Amino acid sequence: QVQLAESGGGLVQAGDSLRLSCVASGGTFVNYAMGWFRQAPGKEREFVSGISWSGSTAIYADSVQGRFTISRSNVKNTVYLQMNSLKPEDTAVYSCAARRDWPVQRDREYDYWGQGTQVTVSS
């Protein structure tokens, strides 16, 4: 059983940066691909980014490509999401998720989820 805990959210202004972290415990971290998802009020959860177990493969939603960077430390059992040039439309609860095999965009393919961290971007 893998437990995931996100941190790093907050209130920022448009154009600012934030780095989210997600620490995993209770499992072998290198066995899992990791993903970041977000959900804004009144909207469905959407894929943001994913990374393979080795970190060699990363995928992004079109809406964040070029602004967000996903990375991981298998020593620290942590996955990161560096978010630059933030926009008000990036406001959401951001959650990390884990699955075996490769990162994918479909949230139902992920087995473990964190509780999420709020990111609010003011204009």
Side-chain angles (χ1 to χ4, degrees), residues 30-101:
V30 296
N31 287 347
Y32 295 91
M34 301 297 295
W36 283 99
F37 291 79
R38 66 187 182 186
Q39 187 166 21
K43 295 187 177 181
E44 293 187 354
R45 184 163 56 192
E46 66 172 349
F47 171 79
V48 176
S49 183
I51 191 167
S52 61
W53 69 270
S54 67
S56 62
T57 299
I59 56 175
Y60 297 92
D62 289 344
S63 59
V64 307
Q65 181 77 49
R67 299 189 298 123
F68 291 10
T69 303
I70 191 171
S71 61
R72 65 187 292 162
S73 168
N74 289 339
V75 173
K76 296 182 178 180
N77 287 359
T78 302
V79 62
Y80 305 97
L81 186 68
Q82 177 67 44
M83 305 186 296
N84 298 331
S85 302
L86 283 161
K87 304 175 181 180
E89 52 263 44
D90 294 319
T91 295
V93 175
Y94 285 71
S95 300
C96 64
R99 72 182 301 269
R100 292 186 180 267
D101 207 2

